[in-house]
Amino acid sequence: MMNLFRKKKKIDINSITIPTFNWVLRQKNEGLYQWSNKEETKALSVNFFNIPPDLPTINNIDFLRKFYREMLKNSQGGIIEVDVVDLSGFKAVKTIMKFPQNPGMAYLSSYTIPFKDYSFVIKIQAPEVGVSGVRDSVIFNKLLAKGEVNFVDEGIENWFYDPYDATITDGIRMNKSEQEIYDEEFPEHPLSVSRKLFRQIEKEIKFGKELYDTPKFEK
């Protein structure tokens, strides 16, 4: 006889699974799994938050991008990508952010997967290590030779930009070398690696059956 009163599976950090690239598990608790590559230069993590998400919206992309810009001002960061994507039928906020370090940049890429009462966050942290700025220098010189960037009295013209709003001219902004079209030229760059790993996560992520009946985040 069918058990009509079967207990529903609890939603927890194990309700999603992702590829971990044979990296080493460094932390494991009910709210966080974290791995690093063997060189310990990059980190991958899954967070589970057993509270309603603090996202302002997932349906108004312009407002969402403004939200992240304002948030990053306090930490001297900038956005490379903020978008809403589909992960196996679930809406997620995809972000790639950059933060100055000495030397170079650190890149933080994440998927935030919100539900009405919970959220999951997948993150890749990938700083520049060793010699930094090679990608920037090579691409800048190529574009300078083509006349697509220029030196002006105020500094450099047409190099830094906000990926979604050309009227924004202050703060930490993306530069043209950070466009995805240059990843193949610099496959070991932390931004290229992060995007490659994210593409694999997008293909292989799995959601537990218990999440398909869970109320979605509707804001």
Side-chain angles (χ1 to χ4, degrees):
M1 178 173 156
M2 184 183 295
N3 183 0
L4 299 178
F5 302 99
R6 188 185 315 171
K7 189 174 181 181
K8 292 178 69 174
K9 187 177 185 302
K10 179 184 175 183
I11 293 172
D12 59 22
I13 195 168
N14 297 302
S15 294
I16 68 169
T17 56
I18 63 170
T20 56
F21 317 112
N22 294 315
W23 288 9
V24 179
L25 182 63
R26 303 292 184 184
Q27 291 190 61
K28 182 178 180 180
N29 58 55
E30 65 181 15
L32 170 69
Y33 287 177
Q34 186 177 67
W35 303 262
S36 72
N37 60 345
K38 64 180 180 180
E39 298 85 5
E40 297 190 48
T41 56
K42 298 175 182 64
L44 167 70
S45 62
V46 175
N47 287 89
F48 172 64
F49 298 98
N50 194 15
I51 55 174
D54 60 0
L55 281 176
T57 180
I58 200 170
N59 296 310
N60 184 333
I61 189 61
D62 291 332
F63 189 87
L64 194 59
R65 288 166 178 162
K66 182 178 179 181
F67 167 78
Y68 279 104
R69 284 190 197 98
E70 292 299 317
M71 181 180 69
L72 287 171
K73 280 183 180 179
N74 296 327
S75 54
Q76 298 299 306
I79 62 171
I80 290 177
E81 182 176 352
V82 176
D83 219 336
V84 175
V85 299
D86 181 282
L87 295 180
S88 298
F90 293 89
K91 277 187 177 182
V93 178
K94 178 183 179 181
T95 62
I96 302 178
M97 306 171 186
K98 59 187 285 188
F99 299 89
Q101 59 176 20
N102 190 15
M105 286 284 168
Y107 295 92
L108 176 62
S109 307
S110 69
Y111 288 114
T112 299
I113 310 165
F115 293 84
K116 181 176 179 289
D117 298 312
Y118 322 92
S119 65
F120 299 86
V121 179
I122 302 165
K123 290 190 288 190
I124 294 176
Q125 296 167 265
E128 287 188 286
V129 294
V131 178
S132 63
V134 174
R135 175 173 177 156
D136 305 50
S137 178
V138 170
I139 300 305
F140 178 82
N141 285 320
K142 281 186 180 182
L143 298 181
L144 183 65
K146 294 178 181 178
E148 295 181 23
V149 297
N150 298 286
F151 288 106
V152 293
D153 291 342
E154 296 79 16
I156 300 173
E157 184 179 52
N158 298 327
W159 176 244
F160 296 104
Y161 68 106
D162 183 281
Y164 305 107
D165 187 345
T167 66
I168 294 174
T169 57
D170 61 346
I172 301 295
R173 289 168 291 149
M174 182 176 180
N175 71 57
K176 288 190 173 179
S177 77
E178 292 166 328
Q179 296 176 87
E180 192 166 358
I181 58 173
Y182 299 117
D183 285 359
E184 286 189 10
E185 292 183 52
F186 302 92
E188 301 304 318
H189 188 274
L191 182 56
S192 306
V193 173
S194 297
R195 287 181 174 132
K196 181 179 179 180
L197 296 177
F198 258 25
R199 286 193 292 272
Q200 188 171 341
I201 290 172
E202 288 174 9
K203 291 178 182 178
E204 298 182 22
I205 188 170
K206 290 182 172 57
F207 293 84
K209 292 180 181 178
E210 64 274 17
L211 292 175
Y212 286 86
D213 295 324
T214 299
K216 304 297 189 294
F217 181 76
E218 300 291 354
K219 287 185 182 179

